[in-house]
C-alpha cells in the first residue's frame, strides 16, 4: 500500500473539503445555477403545436413573443446556437463546399462550440443528448458510413462530459447512438422494455439519469435535443391513437396563390385533396411525437424538484426553426423566410419560478443563447472568442430592454443544391438563397419583413439580388401581399442599407 506523508494528507483533505464547500456547501443563491435546455426540431409556433406540451407550458410559464431562428434549416441553426455566431460568419467559403448545409465543418468545427467548454471549465458537468447536428457535421463523431454496425471508437467533442448523440440524426426507432465514443444500438433485442427503443424517450431517460447523478454534486448543463417533431414524425407506440382530429390550421395563407412572391412560392399549384390529407396526418403525428417530449420534460422537472434544485435551475424550451404546411400552397418543409419558418417558441422558467405577467416582447434569437448562458453563470466569454449574439440575461430576469436594444433581426439562408424537388411542389433551389430583416418597433408602429433573394451558385457573395419582398405585418400578418414594388425609393434604400450593415457584421458590431 502507498501512504501519504502526514503533511500531504492534511493538504489533500483541505483541498477536498474546499471542493465540497464550493459545490455542495454553498446556498442555492451562491452556487452557480443549473441549465437544462430542451431543443425540438422543425417545431412550428403558428400552428399551435405547443398545445401538445401541456406540462411544459404549465411550468415554463414565461416566454418571448418575438423569438426567431436565424437560419430556417437544421445544421446551420444548431451551429449558430452552439457557437453564438451568425451564419455569414460560420458558412463555407465556396458554393461547392456544401459543408453541413453550408455551415463550415472544417477540423476546428467542434472547437467553435465554445460556450459549453467555458461552462465545463468553470466547473459545470455538461451533457449533449440526442440530435447534435446533421450528417455531414457528424462525420467526426459518428461511424463512417453513418449507421455502420461495427464502427470504431468515435470522437467526443471536448466541451461535453457526456456525449450521447444519434447516428444518424433522423432516427425515431432502433437507433444507433454514440455514447461517449462507444456505439450503442437501442433496439428490441438489446433493450427489451416496451417502447424502450423509441429514441425521444431514450434521449429523455439518459438526460434524466445524467441530471439525477450530478445535479446535487456540481452545477450541470444538460442539452436535450430531440428529433421530434421532424419528419417522418413517428409517434411512440403508446401515443399512436392520441390527439384525434388534429389538422393543419386553415389560415388565410393556406392554399393561397402568392404570385407576387419569389418564384418557388409563386409557381406552387393548388393543393390536392390527397396532399391535404397527408399533411393533416403529418401534423397529428408531429404533435403525437411532442407528447413524448412533454413526458420527458415532466420527469426531468419532477426529479429536479425532488432533489431540491428548482430554486437554482434555469429551464429553457425552443426549436431549431419553424415549419410550413400548405401555406402559399407549399408542401411540408422549412427553408423559407416567412414567420411560419423563422418564428419559434421560446419558453423558460427562472430559478424559484418567478413569473412575469406578460411575454418579453424584445427581439431575440438562437445565436443569443451562448452569451446568455455564460452571463447567467457569471462566466466570461473565452479570450480570443467572437460571438455575434447578444445576452438575453437581463430580459430573462425581468429587466426592461436597454434603450439601444435591437429592433431588427437578421435572417439568412443558403439553398442546398441537392434539396428534394417533389413533383409539382418544389421546396428549394440555388436561387432560393436569401437574407432579410424582421423589423419590429411597436412604439413606431413598425412590423416589417424585408428580404433579398440571390442565386448562391452564381453569386456566392450575394452582391446582385434578383428579387425583393416586403411585408407590413401590422396590416398583413400572414405575409400574403408583397408591397415592395409600391414602397418609396427612400424606404427601399434604407432597408437595403440596414440589411447590408447587419449582413456584414461580426462580434460587437452585430449588437
Amino acid at each position: 500500500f502507498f501512504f501519504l506523508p502526514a503533511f500531504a494528507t492534511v493538504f489533500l483533505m483541505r483541498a477536498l473539503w474546499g471542493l465540497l464547500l464550493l459545490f455542495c456547501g454553498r446556498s442555492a443563491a451562491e452556487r452557480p445555477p443549473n441549465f437544462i435546455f430542451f431543443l425540438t426540431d422543425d417545431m412550428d409556433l403558428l400552428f399551435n403545436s405547443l398545445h401538445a406540451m401541456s406540462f411544459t407550458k404549465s411550468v415554463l410559464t414565461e416566454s418571448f413573443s418575438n423569438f426567431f431562428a436565424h437560419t430556417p434549416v437544421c445544421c446551420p441553426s444548431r451551429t449558430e446556437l452552439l457557437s453564438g455566431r451568425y451564419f455569414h460568419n460560420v458558412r463555407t467559403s465556396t458554393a461547392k463546399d456544401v459543408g453541413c448545409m453550408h455551415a463550415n465543418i472544417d477540423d476546428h468545427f467542434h472547437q467553435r462550440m465554445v460556450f459549453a467548454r467555458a461552462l465545463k471549465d468553470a466547473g459545470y458537468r455538461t451533457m449533449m443528448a440526442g440530435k447534435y447536428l446533421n450528417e455531414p457535421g457528424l462525420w467526426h463523431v459518428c461511424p463512417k458510413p453513418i449507421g455502420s454496425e461495427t464502427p470504431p471508437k468515435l470522437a467526443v467533442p471536448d466541451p461535453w462530459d457526456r456525449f450521447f448523440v444519434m447516428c444518424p440524426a433522423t432516427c425515431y426507432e432502433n437507433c444507433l447512438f454514440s455514447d461517449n465514443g462507444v456505439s450503442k444500438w437501442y433496439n428490441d433485442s438489446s433493450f427489451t422494455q416496451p417502447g424502450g427503443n423509441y429514441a425521444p424517450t431514450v434521449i429523455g431517460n439518459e438526460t434524466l439519469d445524467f441530471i439525477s447523478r450530478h445535479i446535487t454534486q456540481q452545477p450541470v448543463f444538460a442539452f436535450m435535443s430531440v428529433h421530434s417533431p421532424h419528419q417522418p414524425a413517428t409517434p411512440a407506440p403508446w401515443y399512436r391513437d392520441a390527439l384525434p382530429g388534429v389538422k393543419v390550421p386553415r389560415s388565410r395563407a393556406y392554399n393561397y396563390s402568392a404570385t407576387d412572391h419569389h418564384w418557388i412560392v409563386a409557381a406552387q399549384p393548388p393543393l390536392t385533396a390527397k396532399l391535404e390529407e397527408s399533411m393533416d396526418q403529418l401534423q397529428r403525428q408531429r404533435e403525437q411525437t411532442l407528447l413524448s417530449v412533454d413526458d420527458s420534460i415532466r420527469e426531468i422537472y419532477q426529479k429536479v424538484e425532488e432533489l431540491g434544485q428548482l430554486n437554482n435551475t434555469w429551464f429553457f424550451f425552443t426549436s431549431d426553426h419553424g415549419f410550413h404546411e400548405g401555406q402559399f400552397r407549399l408542401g411540408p418543409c422549412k427553408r423559407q423566410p416567412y414567420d411560419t419558418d423563422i418564428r419559434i417558441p421560446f419558453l423558460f422558467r427562472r430559478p424559484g419560478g418567478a413569473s412575469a405577467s406578460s411575454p418579453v416582447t424584445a427581439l431575440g434569437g438562437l445565436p443569443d443563447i451562448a452569451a446568455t448562458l455564460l452571463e447567467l453563470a457569471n462566466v466570461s466569454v473565452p479570450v480570443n472568442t467572437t460571438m455575434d449574439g447578444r445576452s438575453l440575461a437581463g430580459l430573462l430576469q425581468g429587466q426592461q430592454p436597454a434603450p439601444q436594444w435591437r429592433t431588427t433581426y437578421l435572417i439568412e439562408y443558403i439553398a442546398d443544391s441537392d434539396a428534394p424537388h417533389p413533383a409539382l411542389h418544389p421546396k428549394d433551389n440555388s436561387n432560393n438563397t436569401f437574407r432579410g430583416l424582421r423589423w419590429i418597433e411597436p412604439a413606431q408602429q413598425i412590423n416589417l419583413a424585408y428580404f433579398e433573394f440571390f442565386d448562391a451558385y452564381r453569386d456566392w457573395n450575394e452582391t446582385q439580388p434578383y428579387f425583393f419582398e416586403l411585408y407590413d405585418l401590422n396590416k398583413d400578418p400572414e405575409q400574403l401581399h408583397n408591397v415592395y414594388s409600391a414602397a418609396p425609393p427612400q424606404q427601399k434604400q434604407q432597408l437595403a442599407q440596414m440589411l447590408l450593415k447587419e449582413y456584414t457584421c461580426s462580434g460587437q458590431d452585430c449588437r
Side-chain angles (χ1 to χ4, degrees), residues 328-363:
F328 310 125
R329 300 180 170 178
L330 291 160
C333 197
K334 50 271 184 180
R335 304 172 186 266
Q336 296 299 327
Y338 312 114
D339 271 18
T340 50
D341 295 31
I342 62 173
R343 187 181 286 274
I344 53 178
F346 185 69
L347 311 181
F348 65 96
R349 183 191 189 276
R350 50 180 126 165
S355 181
S357 58
S358 58
V360 178
T361 59
L363 274 68

Side-chain angles (χ1 to χ4, degrees), residues 368-417:
D368 299 327
I369 296 300
T372 299
L373 297 192
L374 290 181
E375 182 174 347
L376 290 173
N378 197 27
V379 174
S380 299
V381 175
V383 177
N384 298 323
T385 296
T386 301
M387 290 187 180
D388 305 320
R390 182 173 185 174
S391 173
L392 308 174
L395 299 173
L396 292 169
Q397 294 168 322
Q399 299 173 16
Q400 291 299 310
Q404 69 275 23
W405 192 264
R406 65 165 76 102
T407 56
T408 58
Y409 194 81
L410 177 65
I411 308 299
E412 301 181 61
Y413 174 73
I414 299 175
D416 285 337
S417 62

Side-chain angles (χ1 to χ4, degrees), residues 215-277:
I215 198 169
T216 60
Q217 306 301 316
Q218 65 187 103
V220 300
F221 169 44
F223 191 102
M224 186 184 108
S225 172
V226 292
H227 189 44
S228 315
H230 193 292
Q231 295 184 77
T234 306
W238 49 90
Y239 280 135
R240 288 176 183 165
D241 295 325
L243 304 176
V246 168
K247 294 184 177 182
V248 178
R250 266 51 172 182
S251 66
R252 291 182 63 203
Y254 184 85
N255 207 12
Y256 178 82
S257 179
T259 55
D260 59 359
H261 291 41
H262 70 105
W263 80 267
I264 281 185
V265 175
Q268 297 289 325
L271 302 174
T272 64
K274 183 177 181 180
L275 180 56
E276 290 189 273
E277 181 180 358

Side-chain angles (χ1 to χ4, degrees), residues 33 81 126 206 215 270 357 420:
L81 190 163
T126 60
E206 293 292 336
I215 198 169
S357 58

Side-chain angles (χ1 to χ4, degrees), residues 310-324:
L310 276 185
N311 288 339
N312 199 37
T313 299
W314 286 88
F315 294 87
F316 302 94
F317 176 90
T318 189
S319 178
D320 58 356
H321 47 74
F323 200 66
H324 58 251

